[in-house]
Amino acid sequence: MPLPIQDAHYMALAIALAKKGRFTTSPNPNVGCVIVKNDQIVGQGYHQKAGEAHAEVIALKDAGKDANGATAYVTLEPCSHQGKTPPCADALIKVGIARVVCATQDPNPLVSGRGIQKLRAAGIDVEVGVLESEAISLNTDFNQRMQKGKPYVQLKLAASLDGQTALSNGESKWITSTKARKDVQFYRAQACAVLSTSKTVIDDNASLNVRWSELPTSIQSVYPESELRQPLRVILDRQKKLHAELALFKTGGKVEIVSPESELFALDKKNNIDLSAVLKQLSAIHQVQKVWVEAGATLAASLIQLELVDELIVYLAPKLMGSDGRGLVHILGLNTMAEAIELDIKDVRMVGPDIRITAKILKNT
Amino acid sequence: MPLPIQDAHYMALAIALAKKGRFTTSPNPNVGCVIVKNDQIVGQGYHQKAGEAHAEVIALKDAGKDANGATAYVTLEPCSHQGKTPPCADALIKVGIARVVCATQDPNPLVSGRGIQKLRAAGIDVEVGVLESEAISLNTDFNQRMQKGKPYVQLKLAASLDGQTALSNGESKWITSTKARKDVQFYRAQACAVLSTSKTVIDDNASLNVRWSELPTSIQSVYPESELRQPLRVILDRQKKLHAELALFKTGGKVEIVSPESELFALDKKNNIDLSAVLKQLSAIHQVQKVWVEAGATLAASLIQLELVDELIVYLAPKLMGSDGRGLVHILGLNTMAEAIELDIKDVRMVGPDIRITAKILKNT
């Protein structure tokens, strides 16, 4: 029986493997697996793409005969149901795995615990909860979609240090640095969908796709250009202003236009596009689990006020642009400080010359 | 002869000692001194207050007879002239110090090098430049006053993450946290003068003094309440709106009102108060070497545009206040992004729940 520290050691490796899939596994979760026998790693694997082999199957194949009597470290409870691929629990049983260590149970309440039950019923020793928090944070987006039917929404904002997104004449190119824009490419690459508005697309002739050549070199080295997946670009366009000449339509990746004809389109009580419904439909129809929002101050304010934002990513450039520019969020008429939207800052760091702030929204007006 | 690493070791201690005086030495510099004989520390001291003993004299007294034949580590070139106290170079010679290691020369071009010359003329082995950058940064403000006749100006700004300093109705209490306000007390405590305007003083009934009870406990432990020095509060009040009932006049510390009767008062070509002249006069008349500015967006913009700000200290609170609030700097009418004021961010850190950014101004409009 290995010591707890050894279990944590192998699970940490399985988590590192799982992370390698983070640009390509959606709508599946990131999962990694390590097979250990007599304190030797005999097999390892991670899930790369939906429809392809699960982490456990790859690791078992890697281990070959050594899997018999070994311990399998898996970042997520092995599946017990027939999906696009056969159940992993069955595969583990079949080769004679002696012990399974899982970081977390399956977040889907409909199947959670069933894989573990199946393994135990077959006489396998199962332990759950090693490096659980780490493993949960691997799949925040997947977990949220499974549990709430709503994708994880990251809202990007960019401004000067004094909170201006453009000069009064509208000029906004470029407030942030090349390095910050590469960082944005990194977030887009991890997203299933990029959400924006026809106004932003037209004003900036924005393509909103992932340009592999602009990814940070640290990412390029683990995510080859041949594997590049483009996020679905979802553009709110109620008045059908988008036209075929835009860069949006001339660049790689699919576009979903949310105009009255779209199956994503619905109106809320205030006769605005029902953003909550759009997100839920994206999750239900397109299995979208992570949405990266790049738009203007109006959409930003709506998403915040509707409590649809899971994470704010704010880039602040080392500039002062003065007080007649354009603001970061278009929220008007706060009367008391208590009405301000409160944030919890999770991370602050430099990205080149700019500051990047990651925050959760604590309280809405 | 000690190794260079040993010289650096003792100089680092001398610098740490010098720092202890940072709330009380002005208009004198921070200086520390360590006396070492046979690789043993035999004396140490730092300058505490103008008019009282210099670091070298305290350290020599501490060392007593052991000073003879010892090495003195001093963060600044020993003085060679009779000031409020006798020249330190003479004191070092008199006790028979064998070697003097200085971190820096005197920044005052009129006396720089003379102390070293005097020591060498007396047969003492003198070395200069050990941990020089560290020692220079101990006295950035003193050095600037000596070299340019202008105090070092720190401009404090505070806003929500979206750059708002108040709601549209003027409410601004409290955007930042108690911890950030304690941090402000720390900066005020290190300043010779706090610069503000009658508008800020009246609107907020601000006292702008140092409240010992509000200093961070880490500072309280090294800076006892009995030693507390209040900065000179310098209030721009051209129209003489200040009145005796204000908290400003009911709290400890002196107030200098810059109204037309003041010796600090002068007008510039645009018929505004000549801020450059005010600062130079503060340096010349009051020996002010560090100014902490707390005021509104208008004074902030003027100081920035006149290139009078040496350091920006920006507190950003984890809040969004929307786009009809009040901006951080009142600069209007930028037409191109190239006109934006560029900053170089030197430090970013959390102060409680708030972010504190320290920046230099690179380029003005």
Side-chain angles (χ1 to χ4, degrees):
Chain A
M1 184 83 170
L3 298 167
I5 185 84
Q6 289 173 302
D7 279 346
H9 172 82
Y10 294 122
M11 190 60 82
L13 176 59
I15 288 172
L17 288 170
K19 262 184 200 161
K20 291 189 169 187
R22 70 195 186 283
F23 301 103
T24 48
T25 59
S26 75
N28 284 354
N30 297 303
V31 186
C33 178
V34 175
I35 314 277
V36 176
K37 194 168 181 177
N38 300 327
D39 213 16
Q40 296 283 323
I41 294 169
V42 295
Q44 41 184 305
Y46 66 97
H47 184 48
Q48 287 181 287
K49 260 184 214 174
E52 296 188 359
H54 286 190
E56 298 92 319
V57 173
I58 296 171
L60 287 175
K61 197 176 163 191
D62 187 32
K65 285 181 198 164
D66 288 336
N68 190 277
T71 297
Y73 293 88
V74 201
T75 58
L76 185 67
E77 176 180 357
C79 64
S80 61
H81 59 284
Q82 179 72 37
K84 288 181 186 168
T85 57
C88 292
D90 294 0
L92 291 161
I93 295 164
K94 197 175 155 193
V95 301
I97 284 282
R99 183 169 174 251
V100 172
V101 181
C102 309
T104 67
Q105 287 202 196
D106 195 301
N108 182 345
L110 295 176
V111 301
S112 186
R114 288 198 194 168
I116 292 164
Q117 223 171 355
K118 202 171 196 176
L119 293 168
R120 284 190 176 139
I124 295 176
D125 176 22
V126 182
E127 195 169 335
V128 184
V130 174
L131 299 191
E132 188 169 17
S133 309
E134 283 298 309
I136 288 175
S137 71
L138 267 179
N139 291 307
T140 317
D141 47 359
F142 175 81
N143 298 345
Q144 176 162 307
R145 181 166 70 90
M146 284 298 131
Q147 286 160 0
K148 299 185 189 169
K150 175 195 167 299
Y152 189 82
V153 175
Q154 294 178 308
L155 172 62
K156 175 223 161 189
L157 299 170
S160 61
L161 193 58
D162 56 341
Q164 306 297 303
T165 62
L167 299 174
S168 56
N169 63 13
E171 189 183 332
S172 69
K173 281 196 175 180
W174 295 100
I175 291 180
T176 53
S177 65
T178 313
K179 262 218 159 141
R181 298 201 300 278
K182 284 189 172 203
D183 198 56
V184 166
Q185 287 287 326
F186 171 63
Y187 280 106
R188 282 187 193 165
Q190 287 183 86
C192 309
V194 173
L195 176 63
S196 190
T197 62
S198 53
K199 175 163 171 42
T200 293
V201 167
I202 294 166
D203 286 356
D204 303 346
N205 197 16
S207 50
L208 298 172
N209 65 341
V210 178
R211 293 178 287 276
W212 189 86
S213 62
E214 292 177 28
L215 285 171
T217 48
S218 60
I219 301 303
Q220 287 177 338
S221 64
V222 295
Y223 184 30
E225 190 166 11
S226 57
E227 294 293 313
L228 188 67
R229 279 191 6 168
Q230 288 293 347
L232 178 66
R233 291 164 294 169
V234 181
I235 315 298
L236 306 180
D237 185 28
R238 190 171 178 179
Q239 293 167 326
K240 299 165 84 169
K241 291 186 175 166
L242 293 177
H243 55 83
E245 279 65 46
L246 290 163
L248 181 77
F249 297 108
K250 296 180 174 172
T251 44
K254 288 185 184 168
V255 177
E256 178 78 34
I257 301 172
V258 185
S259 64
E261 289 77 18
S262 162
E263 58 185 342
L264 298 175
F265 188 88
L267 292 176
D268 64 15
K269 287 178 196 163
K270 291 180 181 168
N271 208 34
N272 296 317
I273 290 184
D274 187 334
L275 295 167
S276 175
V278 169
L279 291 169
K280 282 192 175 151
Q281 289 290 80
L282 275 175
S283 167
I285 301 172
H286 297 280
Q287 285 82 50
V288 161
Q289 53 204 30
K290 187 175 260 176
V291 175
W292 174 251
V293 185
E294 283 188 58
T298 308
L299 182 61
S302 301
L303 288 167
I304 290 170
Q305 290 180 318
L306 291 165
E307 302 189 17
L308 294 171
V309 177
D310 295 293
E311 200 171 290
L312 268 181
I313 313 283
V314 185
Y315 296 91
L316 294 179
K319 287 187 174 74
L320 298 174
M321 285 168 52
S323 47
D324 61 347
R326 297 185 184 178
L328 202 52
V329 284
H330 190 66
I331 295 170
L332 298 175
L334 300 190
N335 289 311
T336 66
M337 203 54 78
E339 290 174 36
I341 292 160
E342 281 175 28
L343 309 174
D344 180 14
I345 292 171
K346 294 293 185 187
D347 185 76
V348 180
R349 66 183 65 192
M350 300 300 294
V351 175
D354 301 315
I355 300 169
R356 185 187 75 200
I357 297 155
T358 308
K360 296 270 170 193
I361 296 173
L362 286 182
K363 188 188 71 73
N364 273 295
T365 46
Chain B
M1 186 83 170
L3 299 166
I5 185 84
Q6 288 173 304
D7 280 347
H9 172 80
Y10 293 121
M11 190 60 82
L13 177 59
I15 288 171
L17 287 169
K19 261 183 202 162
K20 290 190 170 187
R22 70 196 186 283
F23 300 103
T24 48
T25 59
S26 75
N28 284 355
N30 297 303
V31 186
C33 179
V34 174
I35 314 277
V36 175
K37 194 168 182 178
N38 300 327
D39 213 16
Q40 295 283 323
I41 294 168
V42 294
Q44 43 185 304
Y46 66 95
H47 183 49
Q48 287 180 287
K49 259 184 216 175
E52 296 188 0
H54 285 190
E56 298 93 319
V57 172
I58 297 170
L60 286 176
K61 197 175 163 192
D62 188 29
K65 286 181 197 162
D66 288 335
N68 191 277
T71 296
Y73 293 88
V74 201
T75 58
L76 185 66
E77 174 180 357
C79 64
S80 61
H81 60 283
Q82 178 73 36
K84 289 182 186 166
T85 58
C88 291
D90 294 0
L92 291 163
I93 294 165
K94 197 174 156 196
V95 301
I97 284 282
R99 182 169 176 253
V100 172
V101 180
C102 308
T104 68
Q105 288 200 196
D106 195 302
N108 183 346
L110 295 176
V111 301
S112 184
R114 289 200 192 167
I116 292 164
Q117 222 172 356
K118 201 170 194 176
L119 293 168
R120 285 192 175 138
I124 295 176
D125 176 22
V126 182
E127 192 168 338
V128 184
V130 174
L131 298 191
E132 189 169 16
S133 310
E134 283 299 309
I136 287 174
S137 72
L138 267 179
N139 291 307
T140 316
D141 47 359
F142 175 81
N143 297 345
Q144 176 161 307
R145 180 167 71 89
M146 284 298 132
Q147 287 160 359
K148 300 185 188 169
K150 174 195 166 302
Y152 189 83
V153 175
Q154 294 179 309
L155 171 62
K156 175 222 160 190
L157 299 171
S160 60
L161 193 58
D162 56 341
Q164 306 296 304
T165 63
L167 299 175
S168 57
N169 64 14
E171 189 183 333
S172 68
K173 283 199 173 176
W174 293 101
I175 292 180
T176 54
S177 65
T178 313
K179 262 213 159 142
R181 299 200 300 277
K182 284 188 173 203
D183 198 56
V184 166
Q185 288 286 325
F186 170 63
Y187 280 106
R188 282 188 193 164
Q190 288 182 85
C192 309
V194 173
L195 176 64
S196 192
T197 63
S198 53
K199 176 163 171 43
T200 293
V201 167
I202 293 166
D203 286 356
D204 302 346
N205 197 16
S207 50
L208 298 173
N209 64 342
V210 179
R211 292 179 287 278
W212 189 86
S213 62
E214 292 178 26
L215 285 172
T217 48
S218 60
I219 301 303
Q220 287 177 340
S221 64
V222 295
Y223 184 31
E225 190 165 10
S226 57
E227 295 292 313
L228 188 68
R229 277 189 11 164
Q230 288 292 348
L232 178 66
R233 291 164 295 168
V234 180
I235 316 299
L236 306 180
D237 187 27
R238 189 171 180 178
Q239 294 166 327
K240 299 164 85 169
K241 290 183 176 170
L242 293 177
H243 54 83
E245 280 66 46
L246 290 162
L248 182 78
F249 298 109
K250 295 181 174 170
T251 42
K254 287 185 184 169
V255 177
E256 178 78 33
I257 301 172
V258 184
S259 63
E261 287 78 19
S262 162
E263 58 185 342
L264 298 177
F265 188 88
L267 293 176
D268 65 15
K269 287 178 196 163
K270 291 181 181 169
N271 208 34
N272 296 318
I273 290 184
D274 187 335
L275 295 167
S276 175
V278 168
L279 291 169
K280 281 192 175 150
Q281 289 291 79
L282 275 174
S283 166
I285 301 173
H286 297 281
Q287 285 83 48
V288 162
Q289 54 204 30
K290 188 175 259 176
V291 175
W292 174 252
V293 185
E294 282 189 59
T298 308
L299 181 61
S302 301
L303 288 168
I304 290 170
Q305 290 179 319
L306 292 165
E307 302 189 15
L308 294 171
V309 176
D310 295 294
E311 199 172 290
L312 268 181
I313 313 284
V314 185
Y315 296 91
L316 293 179
K319 286 187 173 74
L320 298 175
M321 285 166 52
S323 46
D324 62 347
R326 297 186 183 178
L328 202 53
V329 285
H330 190 65
I331 295 170
L332 298 176
L334 301 191
N335 288 311
T336 67
M337 203 53 80
E339 291 173 35
I341 293 161
E342 281 175 27
L343 310 174
D344 180 14
I345 293 171
K346 295 293 185 188
D347 185 75
V348 180
R349 66 182 65 191
M350 300 301 292
V351 175
D354 302 314
I355 300 169
R356 185 186 74 200
I357 297 155
T358 308
K360 298 270 170 194
I361 296 173
L362 286 182
K363 189 189 71 75
N364 271 296
T365 47

